[in-house]
Every structure is written in structure tokens, then in C-alpha cells.
Amino acid sequence: MIRQYFGTDGIRGTVGQVPITADFTLKLAHAVGRVLKRHEAKPTVLIGKDTRISGYMLESALESGFNSAGVDVVLLGPLPTPGVAYLTRAQRASLGVVISASHNPFDDNGIKFFSAQGTKLPDAWERDVEATLRQEPVWVDSANLGKSRRLDDAAGRYIEFCKSTFANNLSLKGLRIVVDAANGAAYQIAPKVFHELGAEVIAIGCSPDGLNINKGFGATHPEALIEAVRLHRADVGIALDGDADRLQVVDADGRLFNGDEVLYLMVDDRLRRGKAVPGVVGTLMTNMAVELALQARGVPLVRAKVGDRYVLEELEKNKWLLGGEGSGHLLALDQHTTGDGLISALQVLQTSVRSGKSLAELLSGVTLFPQTLINIRLKPGQDWRASDRLASETLAVEAELGQNGRVLIRASGTEPMVRVMVEARDPDQAKACAERIANTISG
């Protein structure tokens, strides 16, 4: 995979079996630059990053690699992943590059690429880069080296873009909002977006030091947000992850709303405004209560595999606009080409402001089904898919649950493990059914 590389310490990591060193990163950028030059005489690449300390090293290596292939570089500095996607499109750049490991700890890092349209790149492009990476570098001569410059107002341009997705006739005046940027890429941007729309903003998780990204703050640690909302008697709390493409929301009572509920609110807002919503894409993990609530309003939900890439592929296939995951990675393709935590938050706040209702009131008819998740480690050589006993037990559980629950059994993508999930209106039933299936697998 070229799209994302994760390391174990931000300097030595793995891309398959390839370490993420400064040398490798330079060669990667050089290979990408050569691929770009096959289609464009003088390409320009934008590079943004989050707040990890290793970002400085990787940024310099990428810049040098692109310049050595004759590609111009524009440095954006710390900027959310969706901000890079937006500016790549707005600046008519050839490619956007993000240095970030998203919601992972500081000692991981990664590289992600966006097309000129601010979208994910096709597999054919990845294969072309991989093939070029295996070739010897072809350094351009001094006269043809790429140039670099910095876009000083990158953050301001992205702030204005985010604000443009919020209705012009509405404001956030009168609202006290806690904003948690996970000490990540949106640490300066997120508070300004909500403040400039009229809210009183209390910022937490907005003091990065290169080592504290996602540490105790942000969408993966919402406890800090819940505590701050209660402490400051705020109306709502917004938590992003390290690269600000993921969202968690908390109301004045400290209730946490996950991505499934936020997705429903985005659908609700469009339906209230008389807009057609032909369908929504969730994942295999999307809560059944949300699926039933959408169906009751005439909106079908299609389940994709877990992962924002699969959600996007399903949306594009169906020509739909709204989709997302319970983790808070949400897509509103009528607003942006990629998942954006800030824009998703504004969509939710817009729904509340426009209706005059709290988030809890808007979701009064949607009560999430309790879910029981059990991981079962497989024995060497165990073929759980071929088990007649498991198939029989699963059918029995599904018959027992009927329309009041569902079963999901899937293999781990990284370990010899099977993950069993059962959700039901009755939490005791969900737990008992999950244990029955787990016992069948483990023998």
C-alpha cells in the first residue's frame, strides 16, 4: 500500500517490510515525483502535517525527494488532513501529501496522498509508484530542480472553507462550546472556526509539544471532553483526533454521541430541509438502531467493510452523499471530498441551531442497541469458516434475535483471531448470544 505508512517510532517503522527512514521517504517522494512528471511537465505538490515531532524530518525528506525529481513543493505546515485535501483542489496542485498517523500515538507516523481533486488515488497509481520505487533514482540536473515555498495563510484559507459549509443565515451566538483538538493538527484552526461563527469557545487539547498528540485528549479519549463540558457548563463539546478527520460530540449533560448517531443527525437535517437522501452508507459495525431509524424514514442503509475507504467506494458506486463509521469518521460529499471532523461538527451544530432542539431531542427516537464484542484467538490451522457447528449455532441465534438484533462474525485483519459482535435491544440477550457463538468457535 502506498496510501498510508505507519511506523513504530516515527523514524524506524514498516511499510510492509520497508523501514520508514528519512532515506526511504526521500526515495518515495522522488518516485512519486517521477510518476507525476509522466503526465505533467512541471507538477506542484502540497505537503501538510500534524504536530508529531517526527513530522519535521519526514517533511524535509519529502521536500528534497520531490525537488530532486523536478517537482515544486508548497509547504502548508500543521494542517488537518481534510484541509490538505481541500487546498490541493483549491490551489490546482498536482498532488496533496499529509504526514500523519491520525489517531495513533506520537511515536507512529505515516504518509497519505490525495489526488488533484482532493480524493483518494486509484490502485493503478499506487502500483505505478511502487514499480518506480523499485527502479534506480533519476536525479534531475541543477537547472531542473524543483523549488519550494511556504503558503503562509494555509490555515486561514481552510478556516474560511469550513465556515462556508455552515448556513449563512445561522450563527453559533449564545453557545458555549468546548473544543478538543487532541493536541493535533487542528490545535489553532478548530477554536477559530467555532469562535468566528459566534460561539464562546473553551479550548482543551490545543497545546501540542510534538509528543502529546492524542495523549489523554481528542476523539479517542473523550473523557477529557466530557469532564470539561461539565466543568464549564458548556452547551456542547467537540473532540477531533490528531489529524482532525474524526469527530466525537458531547452534549450539556455529558452524553457522548458516536459517529452512527452523528450520521443520523446529518441525514435528519437534510430531510427536514426537504432534501432527498436516496441512501446512506455505514459499515458492518453500524448500530442496528440507526439502520432501523433510517429505514423508518425511507432511507436505506448499505453496509460496507470497516474503513473509510470502503465507505467512500460504496458511496461513489451508489452516487450517494452521506456515510460514515461509529468511530466518527464521516463523509458528507456535498460538502467535501473526504472525511472532515470540523465540517461534520458544523453539520451537527447547524441541525441543532436550525431546529432549536438539543442533540438529545433530535435523537429521542434513536436508542442505540447494546453491543457485546468478544475476540477469540484461533488455534493453529483452525478453519472457523468451515465449521458446520458454528453455522448452525449462528442461524439459531439469528432466529432468536429476529428483528431485534443481529450477529457479525469477522476475522481480524492483523491477528489469528475472530471477532464476534452481537447487538440486541436487550443487553443481557446480546451478551448471552455472543458468548454462545464464542464458545462454539473456541470449542
Side-chain angles (χ1 to χ4, degrees):
M1 292 288 290
I2 291 293
R3 183 171 301 101
Q4 189 108 14
Y5 304 86
F6 284 104
T8 54
D9 65 3
I11 296 176
R12 296 186 314 277
T14 58
V15 185
Q17 300 300 317
V18 183
I20 302 180
T21 60
D23 177 62
F24 170 78
T25 304
L26 185 150
K27 290 178 179 177
L28 171 65
H30 179 82
V32 172
R34 288 179 60 194
V35 170
L36 291 174
K37 291 202 71 176
R38 290 170 192 156
H39 307 282
E40 189 176 347
K42 197 64 175 175
T44 298
V45 170
L46 305 188
I47 301 177
K49 61 182 181 179
D50 63 24
T51 56
R52 291 163 219 271
I53 192 168
S54 55
Y56 292 100
M57 177 194 74
L58 297 179
E59 179 185 55
S60 296
L62 286 168
E63 179 185 1
S64 298
F66 282 120
N67 289 163
S68 72
V71 174
D72 290 342
V73 170
V74 179
L75 300 174
L76 305 177
L79 196 72
T81 290
V84 177
Y86 161 68
L87 285 173
T88 301
R89 186 174 77 248
Q91 293 284 300
R92 307 302 192 267
S94 309
L95 191 76
V97 185
V98 183
I99 306 165
S100 177
S102 189
H103 55 280
N104 285 35
F106 88 93
D107 45 3
D108 289 344
N109 218 332
I111 302 167
K112 181 182 291 186
F113 299 99
F114 285 105
S115 75
Q117 292 74 42
T119 59
K120 296 186 185 297
L121 287 146
D123 292 343
W125 182 88
E126 291 188 7
R127 289 192 293 270
D128 199 1
V129 171
E130 288 169 349
T132 306
L133 192 56
R134 288 191 289 269
Q135 301 169 5
E136 287 298 314
V138 181
W139 317 109
V140 301
D141 59 32
S142 297
N144 291 300
L145 288 171
K147 299 177 181 179
S148 296
R149 65 182 176 89
R150 187 169 293 278
L151 186 64
D152 292 324
D153 62 344
R157 294 181 187 221
Y158 176 57
I159 287 170
E160 289 304 313
F161 170 64
C162 290
K163 288 163 54 183
S164 74
T165 66
F166 193 84
N168 289 330
N169 62 332
L170 300 176
S171 83
L172 298 177
K173 288 181 180 179
L175 289 180
R176 178 180 293 177
I177 301 176
V178 176
V179 177
D180 179 356
N183 293 312
Y187 76 101
Q188 291 182 309
I189 290 170
K192 289 179 182 177
V193 167
F194 298 106
H195 173 73
E196 292 182 17
L197 287 171
E200 176 189 348
V201 175
I202 297 154
I204 65 172
C206 291
S207 302
D209 61 10
L211 309 177
N212 62 357
I213 187 170
N214 299 311
K215 187 176 181 180
F217 287 93
T220 54
H221 299 281
E223 303 83 11
L225 181 66
I226 293 170
E227 181 180 349
V229 166
R230 288 171 172 162
L231 175 65
H232 295 283
R233 297 181 180 177
D235 299 292
V236 67
I238 301 295
L240 308 169
D241 67 338
D243 70 335
D245 65 355
R246 186 176 294 205
L247 168 71
Q248 296 284 299
V249 182
V250 171
D251 72 5
D253 295 323
R255 175 182 168 184
L256 179 67
F257 298 88
N258 74 4
D260 293 343
E261 294 168 297
V262 173
L263 178 59
Y264 178 84
L265 289 173
M266 290 165 64
V267 174
D268 178 69
D269 180 58
R270 286 157 177 76
L271 293 176
R272 286 173 180 269
R273 288 185 283 143
K275 291 184 173 258
V277 182
V280 171
V281 177
T283 73
L284 296 173
M285 298 300 293
T286 298
N287 197 281
M288 189 175 179
V290 171
E291 180 179 16
L292 294 176
L294 289 171
Q295 287 177 355
R297 302 187 69 174
V299 179
L301 179 135
V302 170
R303 295 181 183 273
K305 290 190 290 186
V306 175
D308 63 287
R309 181 179 189 178
Y310 302 112
V311 174
L312 179 59
E313 287 175 355
E314 199 67 38
L315 284 172
E316 290 174 340
K317 184 177 80 174
N318 289 284
K319 295 182 170 51
W320 295 345
L321 299 174
L322 300 177
E325 303 180 88
S327 63
H329 194 285
L330 300 155
L331 289 156
L333 298 183
D334 54 351
Q335 303 297 334
H336 202 351
T337 58
T338 190
D340 190 316
L342 275 168
I343 289 176
S344 297
L346 291 175
Q347 296 292 293
V348 171
L349 292 173
Q350 182 174 258
T351 304
S352 180
V353 171
R354 199 192 305 272
S355 66
K357 295 182 178 181
S358 69
L359 302 185
E361 288 173 328
L362 289 168
L363 284 161
S364 60
V366 183
T367 302
L368 296 183
F369 286 13
Q371 294 181 336
T372 297
L373 297 123
I374 302 177
N375 295 324
I376 305 102
R377 187 162 293 276
L378 296 172
K379 299 167 186 172
Q382 182 178 353
D383 184 4
W384 61 275
R385 291 184 177 88
S387 171
D388 292 336
R389 183 165 168 253
L390 174 60
S392 177
E393 187 65 28
T394 302
L395 286 172
V397 167
E398 288 175 337
E400 179 183 323
L401 293 171
Q403 296 299 310
N404 294 308
R406 68 186 182 99
V407 177
L408 174 64
I409 306 172
R410 63 190 183 100
S412 166
T414 58
E415 301 175 84
M417 186 177 290
V418 173
R419 307 189 191 284
V420 175
M421 188 275 287
V422 176
E423 61 181 353
R425 294 183 189 275
D426 180 351
D428 293 334
Q429 185 183 32
K431 182 174 182 293
C433 288
E435 289 175 347
R436 280 169 53 189
I437 293 173
N439 290 337
T440 303
I441 295 172
S442 61

